[in-house]
Amino acid sequence: MDLVPALEEPLRQPLKSVLGPATAKVMAEHLGLLTVGDLLHHYPRRYEERGQLTHLADLPMDEHVTVVAQVADARLHTFASAKAPRGKGQRLEVTITDGSGRLQLVFFGAGVHKPHKELLPGTRAMFAGKVSVFNRRLQLAHPAYELLRGDPEESVETWAGALIPIYPATAKLESWKIGKAIQTVLPTAREAVEPLPESLREGRGLVPLPEALLKIHRPHTKADIEDARSRLKWDEAFVLQVALARRRHADAQLPAVPRRPAPDGLLTAFDARLPFTLTDGQQRVSREIFDDLATSHPMHRLLQGEVGSGKTMVALRAMLAVVDAGGQAAMLAPTEVLAQQHHRSIVEMMGELAEGGMLGGAEQATKVVLLTGSMGAAARRHALLDLTTGEAGIVIGTHALIEDKVQFHDLGLVVVDEQHRFGVEQRDALRGKGKQPPHLLVMTATPIPRTVAMTVFGDLETSVLDQLPAGRSPIASHVVPAADKPHFLSRAWERVREEVENGHQAYVVCPRIGDEEDDPKKSGGKKPPQSPEDAAEKRPPLAVLDVADQLVKGPLKGLRVEVLHGRMHPDDKDAVMRRFAAGETHVLVATTVIEVGVNVPNATAMVIMDADRFGVSQLHQLRGRVGRGSAPGLCLLVTEMPEASPARQRLGAVASTLDGFELSRIDLEQRREGDVLGQAQSGARTSLRMLAVIEDEEIIAEAREEATAVVANDPELTHLPALRTALDALLDEEREQYLEKG
C-alpha cells in the first residue's frame, strides 16, 4: 500500500546507483514492481538458515527455485557435438547436497569456466534456476549462483543475521539481487503510514507497519517473521474487506422495486406442475432469494451449487416470482450453446405456462424468448418487440442482451450464469437496462470455499446448494497414463464402445480445435526436448479435429462420431447438440464448449485428452456432464505426464474425490498467485502478497467484521485518512471499476 511520497518514488530514481535502469525495467515488467513501496511489499517467500540446508527432495518440478546447498563434487566432461565436432564440447556437472538429497547442476560450453573455478567441493552457495528432469533425475541447467563464503563483506553483511530471505524471483532477476535492492530502500520503511485504526492494531497486539516491514525483510529471529506476517496479513485482509464493505454499504442505499409473487399466479401454477418435490436445499435457498426480492434495495446474491444440484430450477422460480410481480427477468449465459439449452429446458419445464399470448397458453402464462447474436433479423426483431412491450416476461440470451438496441419494459431481475465468464462491463450494462437497479442473482457451479467467497464475492450474500437431486448416480474417475501404459488408453476406447453398446453415449474432450487458426506457431530449429516431461509439455495440445479423425478410422470405427467446437456456425452447433441430445450421435468430440450446463442424461462416459492441460475446477466441471441420469458415470483423465510430476498429482486429486469444495481448495493452493480482486490472474501484481485465502480463514472472517463496523460508523472514512490512502493504493482505477460493477 504505497502510502507516502517517499514510498511512491519510481524505482529507477532512488536505485540508479545500485540497480541501473535495466534492473528497474526487469522489476517493472516481470514482477510488477514500479515504486519503492511496491518493492518493500515484495515479501520473501521463505527464509533459509545459514547453518541449515534446503530440502532438495521437496523441489517442485518446472518452477524457478532458489536453494542453499553445498557442493559435493564437480566433474568436467568433454564430448563431440555439431558445434564442437572434434570432441571439444565441454559440460560441467556439479552435484550439490543437503545431507538428505542430491541435485545435479549442469553448465555447457563457454559457461563452464567460471563455475569450474568457483564451485569446488565444500563450497556453500545459493543457486537459482528452473527444476527439470533429465534421465529421471532432478537437475538445474545453467543456474545462477551466489557464493556464501569468501568475501565476508559481501555475504555476511548483506544477509544480516542468520536468516537468508528467499524472494519470489524470475529467470532474469535472482532472489539475492532483489534482496540487495530491498536493503537499499529499507530505511524508507520508517515513513510508512499506518492504515489500521489505532484501536484495532492495539486491541489485536499487532506491531506498527514500519516495524513489520523491517522485520519481514531483515529478521533476526523466527519470532520477528511471525510478528511481521501477522501484521501484514491483517493489513491486506482489512483494507480489502473495507473496500467490499463500502461496496455493500453503497448497494444498500440504492432503490429497487420490491417484487413479491402474486398468491395464485405463475409461480403457484408452475410449482403445481412439477413432477417431483424440491430438495430441502432448493426450498431453503428459494426462501432466501424471495426474502431479498421483497426488499426495496437490490438483491446481490451468489448462488453456488455443485454441478447438477438444481440451480437452474431455483433461478427459474425466482424469475417466475418477478414476472408474477409485474416485472421481467433476464438470464445471461456465457455461450450460445448454453443459452439455447437453457431456453429449451425452461420452455419444456414450463409447458403451456411459457405460451403467453398464444392459443393453448395457460391463463397465467408469459412468453419466454431467446436472444443471441446469430439469430436471423426477423426472429430478432420479434424478440426485441416482445421485450419492449412486456409481452415476454423471461428472456434468455448471451451478451447480445446487452446491446444498446435491447430495451426492456420493466427489468426486475438479472440472473448471471457462470459469473466468471462475463466481463464486469457486460454485467454493468445489463444492470443499467432497468428503470431502477434490478435485483441480481449470480450462479456458479464452481464450488468456492467460504473465505474465497468472502474475498472475491465479498459484496454478494452467498447461498449454497449442497444436495444432489434424488436419482443422480456417482461418477467413477480414473487417470489413464498414456505414455507409461499405452494399453490403458486402448482399454479406455474399449470402455467407450461398451457404453455405446449398452445404449449410452460418450464425450471426448480435447484442449484445442485443430483448424489452421488455432495451430500453435511452429517452433523453428529448437533443440529436441530432453525429458518425457518436456516432451509431453512441448507437444502441441491434442485437437478435436485430429482426434475425431483418428477415432473414426481406428478404435471407434463404425460408431457415429461428431465434433463440436466454438468456431462452428451457431446453427451447426445447435444441430450437433440436438442430434446428441436425441441419441442419434454416439460420441461427441468437443472442446470445453460443453463444460458448463450441457445436459444429456444418457451420456455416461467422458474421456478427457491431455487432461493435465486443464485446471482442477475445469476438470470437475467437465466431469459433471456425465452421470446426470440413473446410470453410473465414468470419467477417464488421459495424460502423458510422468508419474512424479505435479500435473499427475493434480489429476490424482481430481480422480480421488467428487467433492467440488475440496477440489477448489486444492486448486487455490496451487494457483495462489492470482489477483483475487481483479481479472488479472497473472500473479504479477497480486493484491494479496501475504494473505493465503485458504489458510487465513480466521483473519479474513475477523477483518470482515471489523471492516463492516468501521464502514457503518464512517462510510466515507473521514476520520481515517491513512486508511483512505491505503484503499486508494489498493484500488487503482481498474480494481475500483471491478468492485463498482461487481
Side-chain angles (χ1 to χ4, degrees):
M1 292 144 207
D2 319 331
L3 305 182
V4 294
L7 273 63
E8 284 168 13
E9 275 190 70
L11 279 176
R12 291 187 183 203
Q13 291 162 9
L15 300 189
K16 210 169 250 176
S17 56
V18 183
L19 293 188
T23 309
K25 188 174 178 219
V26 173
M27 282 195 170
E29 289 176 5
H30 294 270
L31 295 168
L33 306 176
L34 306 173
T35 66
V36 173
D38 289 344
L39 187 53
L40 286 175
H41 287 292
H42 187 73
Y43 307 131
R45 177 169 280 165
R46 58 189 170 82
Y47 300 84
E48 291 289 3
E49 292 184 58
R50 188 174 300 286
Q52 291 187 349
L53 293 170
T54 316
H55 276 286
L56 296 180
D58 300 337
L59 292 182
M61 277 295 304
D62 268 347
E63 276 191 29
H64 200 86
V65 299
T66 304
V67 298
V68 176
Q70 194 163 330
V71 177
D73 68 32
R75 294 177 190 191
L76 191 63
H77 302 272
T78 54
F79 59 91
S81 70
K83 287 185 180 169
R86 287 199 292 277
K88 295 273 178 69
Q90 289 193 313
R91 181 176 78 245
L92 176 66
E93 290 178 4
V94 177
T95 305
I96 59 174
T97 178
D98 64 351
S100 69
R102 290 175 164 245
L103 180 66
Q104 188 145 26
L105 316 178
V106 195
F107 301 86
F108 292 101
V112 304
H113 304 307
K114 187 167 177 273
H116 189 218
K117 283 209 296 270
E118 293 182 339
L119 297 180
L120 304 171
T123 306
R124 188 170 285 189
M126 283 195 283
F127 302 91
K130 190 175 177 184
V131 184
S132 57
V133 171
F134 183 65
N135 284 344
R136 301 257 164 198
R137 287 165 67 195
L138 292 180
Q139 71 166 24
L140 297 181
H142 279 286
Y145 62 87
E146 173 94 339
L147 299 178
L148 288 178
R149 221 173 49 190
D151 179 357
E153 280 298 299
E154 176 67 16
S155 56
V156 181
E157 285 313 307
T158 311
W159 311 105
L163 292 161
I164 302 171
I166 305 293
Y167 289 93
T170 75
K172 290 192 158 56
L173 196 63
E174 294 87 21
S175 167
W176 51 87
K177 287 186 182 164
I178 295 169
K180 286 174 185 172
I182 286 172
Q183 296 299 334
T184 309
V185 300
L186 204 49
T188 56
R190 294 191 173 86
E191 298 176 44
V193 178
E194 280 292 345
L196 295 186
E198 192 64 19
S199 57
L200 188 159
R201 190 176 69 71
E202 289 183 352
R204 295 189 177 272
L206 299 169
V207 301
L209 181 57
E211 187 185 327
L213 290 170
L214 289 168
K215 282 183 168 175
I216 200 80
H217 293 296
R218 205 179 240 173
H220 293 292
T221 63
K222 288 182 178 171
D224 283 354
I225 300 170
E226 279 315 300
D227 285 351
R229 281 192 168 147
S230 301
R231 165 61 211 248
L232 296 167
K233 282 181 176 189
W234 252 97
D235 271 22
E236 287 176 10
F238 181 70
V239 175
L240 176 55
Q241 290 301 336
V242 166
L244 294 164
R246 293 185 73 214
R247 177 74 249 129
R248 289 195 300 276
H249 185 270
D251 282 343
Q253 313 308 308
L254 291 172
V257 179
R259 310 279 179 175
R260 293 184 183 85
D264 288 312
L266 186 55
L267 181 62
T268 311
F270 174 76
D271 284 348
R273 304 176 33 98
L274 285 179
F276 52 82
T277 52
L278 298 174
T279 65
D280 293 346
Q282 285 174 316
Q283 290 178 10
R284 185 193 73 249
V285 171
S286 286
R287 279 196 299 275
E288 291 170 353
I289 291 171
F290 290 160
D291 287 348
D292 282 1
L293 289 174
T295 61
S296 55
H297 58 84
M299 165 172 81
H300 288 100
R301 190 165 281 279
L302 171 71
L303 169 57
Q304 45 169 331
E306 280 285 14
V307 173
S309 58
K311 291 183 302 297
T312 310
M313 173 60 71
V314 170
L316 175 56
R317 293 184 73 243
M319 293 197 286
L320 295 174
V322 168
V323 174
D324 250 357
Q328 290 170 294
M331 184 183 234
L332 220 55
T335 63
E336 293 214 350
V337 167
L338 191 53
Q340 286 160 341
Q341 181 159 322
H342 272 320
H343 181 255
R344 262 202 306 279
S345 64
I346 283 174
V347 167
E348 274 169 31
M349 283 195 269
M350 287 176 65
E352 72 272 13
L353 295 174
E355 294 170 1
M358 292 184 250
L359 272 174
E363 187 190 340
Q364 306 95 327
T366 186
K367 231 185 216 181
V368 180
V369 298
L370 176 69
L371 193 62
T372 61
S374 63
M375 284 169 77
R380 188 177 171 76
R381 252 196 324 274
H382 209 94
L384 288 172
L385 187 66
D386 283 343
L387 284 181
T388 313
T389 59
E391 186 90 3
I394 294 177
V395 58
I396 294 149
T398 54
H399 51 268
L401 272 179
I402 304 159
E403 290 170 12
D404 290 343
K405 296 188 192 92
V406 181
Q407 296 298 322
F408 289 86
H409 177 65
D410 178 14
L411 180 61
L413 170 67
V414 176
V415 178
V416 180
D417 193 13
E418 288 307 324
Q419 189 263 2
H420 61 280
R421 303 186 159 236
F422 270 105
V424 171
E425 296 76 17
Q426 295 170 316
R427 286 204 310 280
D428 197 44
L430 190 55
R431 262 188 189 168
K433 298 273 183 195
K435 292 178 180 126
Q436 284 195 323
H439 298 281
L440 176 70
L441 180 65
V442 169
M443 298 199 296
T444 178
T446 309
I448 304 162
R450 175 174 159 257
T451 44
V452 183
M454 279 194 283
T455 43
V456 184
F457 300 106
D459 57 336
L460 300 174
E461 297 300 325
T462 305
S463 295
V464 179
L465 274 177
D466 45 14
Q467 281 172 291
L468 286 188
R472 280 290 165 86
S473 302
I475 305 166
S477 306
H478 303 284
V479 177
V480 177
D484 306 354
K485 300 177 177 165
H487 59 285
F488 275 34
L489 184 58
S490 311
R491 176 70 189 123
W493 300 126
E494 284 170 23
R495 282 292 288 113
V496 170
R497 290 196 86 97
E498 286 164 16
E499 289 299 311
V500 172
E501 281 159 19
N502 290 332
H504 298 302
Q505 293 157 276
Y507 298 99
V508 177
V509 182
C510 305
R512 209 161 54 89
I513 298 171
D515 52 10
E516 285 312 303
E517 272 184 78
D518 98 324
D519 269 356
K521 297 181 179 68
K522 306 280 181 282
S523 56
K526 283 200 175 171
K527 285 185 289 188
Q530 290 187 310
S531 69
E533 180 124 18
D534 277 354
E537 276 279 320
K538 290 180 179 159
R539 168 180 63 65
L542 291 170
V544 165
L545 302 177
D546 305 339
V547 168
D549 192 46
Q550 289 159 16
L551 292 176
V552 169
K553 291 174 181 161
L556 302 187
K557 197 173 181 177
L559 300 187
R560 289 193 296 282
V561 177
E562 289 207 66
V563 299
L564 180 71
H565 59 74
R567 271 208 286 278
M568 288 164 64
H569 187 278
D571 290 351
D572 296 340
K573 275 194 279 199
D574 200 35
V576 168
M577 271 318 299
R578 278 176 191 276
R579 285 195 291 276
F580 189 65
E584 295 165 25
T585 306
H586 295 136
V587 179
L588 189 61
V589 184
T591 56
T592 54
V593 69
I594 60 142
E595 176 189 350
V596 176
V598 171
N599 185 22
V600 180
N602 192 44
T604 52
M606 175 176 284
V607 181
I608 303 179
M609 308 302 290
D610 278 343
D612 48 89
R613 310 276 178 131
F614 300 98
V616 170
S617 294
Q618 200 172 25
L619 291 169
H620 183 59
Q621 288 285 310
L622 285 165
R623 169 171 65 184
R625 301 300 114 216
V626 296
R628 298 176 76 85
S630 50
L634 172 69
C635 178
L636 302 173
L637 307 165
V638 180
T639 178
E640 291 189 1
M641 291 308 238
E643 199 165 353
S645 63
R648 272 285 282 279
Q649 289 161 10
R650 204 170 64 232
L651 296 180
V654 174
S656 68
T657 178
L658 291 173
D659 180 342
F661 285 92
E662 178 56 31
L663 288 174
S664 69
R665 289 181 79 96
I666 293 167
D667 197 18
L668 260 161
E669 280 159 7
Q670 291 183 337
R671 296 186 300 109
R672 222 171 59 194
E673 298 297 307
D675 188 340
V676 290
L677 259 194
Q679 309 294 58
Q681 282 296 317
S682 64
R685 177 157 182 170
T686 163
S687 58
L688 298 189
R689 293 174 173 88
M690 185 60 76
L691 199 68
V693 279
I694 293 290
E695 295 155 32
D696 298 321
E697 186 162 341
E698 214 171 289
I699 294 178
I700 292 169
E702 288 175 15
R704 182 179 166 116
E705 274 177 38
E706 294 271 12
T708 307
V710 164
V711 170
N713 288 333
D714 182 4
E716 294 306 310
L717 307 179
T718 319
H719 304 299
L720 296 166
L723 176 55
R724 179 80 229 200
T725 313
L727 206 57
D728 293 341
L730 172 77
L731 299 178
D732 52 36
E733 209 172 316
E734 180 193 346
R735 295 197 183 106
E736 183 75 70
Q737 284 177 349
Y738 180 82
L739 280 182
E740 275 300 315
K741 295 169 181 174

